[in-house]
Amino acid sequence: MAIREVDGVTLALMPGIMPLVFRAGPDSATRVRRAVRARLDGKTAIVDAWLKVAYGTPIPELVNNVRQNVRRRLAELAEVRDVRVNVHITDVMLPSDDHAEEDA
Amino acid sequence: VTLDTFNRVFVLTIALLVAVTALALLLVTAGLVSPGAFAGGWIGEQLRQLDSLHGSSEILALALVAILAAASTTLAALELIAPGREVTTVDADGLRFAISREGISRVVQYVCEDVTGVDDVQPTVRSSGRGLEIDCVTTLQPRFNPIEVSQRLKARIESSVEAAIGVPVRQVTVHARPAPAPRSTLP
């Protein structure tokens, strides 16, 4: 949810076997499990997110927004203060992709 | 497809199990090993049933195919075939930001679309410690000056990719080639 609040971001598939394991079901929880991995290292929460971004928004700014949102949400919901968010951009969605989808 | 550590270990373990099983079948069918000799009792009886596989060409072929598949999977999992698909930057706080080379290539192609005199661009993206190195094999329209077009292309890639991706572009190399001449329709 924290990631989806950022404009121009779509969840993507993390690499490896796990996305294939969770491929059944198009519900939002399944999509999140295929795109986001979180683990605890001591008191530090480490979040890895695989995302597609829309062309146009500077990616560094977008990555910062994702990090801030994830940190804020985790602090509110789980009172986790020490959060490291690693962002992996798997693809950039171009305006021409939208036209191609519309044509199809 | 790239694999993280957990998935890579998982795939390697499965590939190892397949390879060991296939190797055992290979030795049995070739008559080099007699499984019944390994143990006595109930287990020995079960293993002795495998002795009947001796000389089976189908099992031999299956074992060879399984060994090849396991070896290919191992190579892929170790990323010997497709190393480093991402350009990764680490900031001062140790946070990672990675973007796929494919994503950068698509951005390069997109920003080059409206450069006058360019028909097609096929970029290859590499990363060095100081930024991106982009090689572009470019098809140019014949009526334009290749040097001028290449300079426009370089300037466009440097400014647009840096602004969009946030990673400095260290070098852009343009390999220009003319567009193929249109086929004559005259008889």
Side-chain angles (χ1 to χ4, degrees):
Chain A
M1 191 165 72
I3 293 171
R4 286 190 188 137
E5 286 170 353
V6 179
D7 282 340
V9 170
T10 308
L11 297 177
L13 283 181
M14 69 173 74
I17 303 296
M18 298 317 278
L20 303 177
V21 174
F22 291 117
R23 66 194 274 175
D27 58 291
S28 62
T30 303
R31 280 202 295 271
V32 170
R33 274 181 294 189
R34 293 165 67 179
V36 179
R37 187 177 56 204
R39 63 187 191 278
L40 272 175
D41 182 10
K43 288 184 177 177
T44 306
I46 301 173
V47 177
D48 280 271
W50 282 265
L51 311 173
K52 288 181 185 179
V53 300
Y55 178 79
T57 313
I59 291 177
E61 186 183 308
L62 201 136
V63 169
N64 275 337
N65 290 343
V66 168
R67 283 177 175 154
Q68 282 173 8
N69 270 20
V70 171
R71 284 186 185 130
R72 183 170 53 82
R73 284 287 180 182
L74 280 176
E76 285 171 3
L77 299 172
E79 296 190 350
V80 179
R81 307 284 169 196
D82 190 4
V83 181
R84 299 166 67 87
V85 183
N86 297 317
V87 177
H88 307 261
I89 310 289
T90 63
D91 202 2
V92 179
M93 294 178 292
L94 304 171
S96 52
D97 295 342
D98 295 338
H99 297 315
E101 281 174 18
E102 283 167 16
D103 292 344
Chain B
V1 176
T2 55
L3 299 172
D4 63 16
T5 309
F6 172 81
N7 291 333
R8 195 174 296 145
V9 170
F10 180 75
V11 169
L12 288 173
T13 307
I14 299 289
L16 187 67
L17 280 174
V18 170
V20 168
T21 309
L23 187 65
L25 280 173
L26 197 71
L27 294 174
V28 171
T29 49
L32 298 172
V33 169
S34 178
F38 282 111
W42 182 82
I43 295 175
E45 274 179 34
Q46 305 305 311
L47 288 176
R48 264 190 292 280
Q49 292 176 15
L50 293 173
D51 289 346
S52 62
L53 295 175
H54 174 64
S56 166
S57 55
E58 291 89 357
I59 299 292
L60 189 69
L62 187 68
L64 284 171
V65 169
I67 287 173
L68 281 176
S72 309
T73 309
T74 304
L75 284 175
L78 290 171
E79 292 185 283
L80 293 176
I81 293 170
R85 292 285 176 95
E86 286 183 335
V87 174
T88 304
T89 59
V90 181
D91 67 14
D93 299 327
L95 295 174
R96 277 187 299 141
F97 153 51
I99 181 162
S100 68
R101 288 169 201 271
E102 190 189 338
I104 299 173
S105 295
R106 275 162 55 78
V107 169
V108 172
Q109 283 179 317
Y110 181 70
V111 300
C112 293
E113 267 178 13
D114 56 352
V115 175
T116 311
V118 174
D119 254 358
D120 182 45
V121 174
Q122 296 298 328
T124 307
V125 178
R126 296 189 305 272
S127 66
S128 68
R130 286 179 290 173
L132 299 175
E133 292 176 6
I134 302 172
D135 275 5
C136 291
V137 178
T138 311
T139 308
L140 303 181
Q141 292 169 4
R143 62 184 181 280
F144 291 92
N145 181 327
I147 296 171
E148 284 176 11
V149 176
S150 297
Q151 284 170 347
R152 278 203 298 269
L153 199 64
K154 278 185 181 181
R156 184 67 200 268
I157 291 171
E158 281 172 2
S159 60
S160 302
V161 172
E162 278 192 23
I165 309 289
V167 180
V169 178
R170 184 170 161 257
Q171 188 182 338
V172 177
T173 309
V174 176
H175 306 273
R177 63 182 182 196
R183 284 184 181 175
S184 171
T185 52
L186 294 173

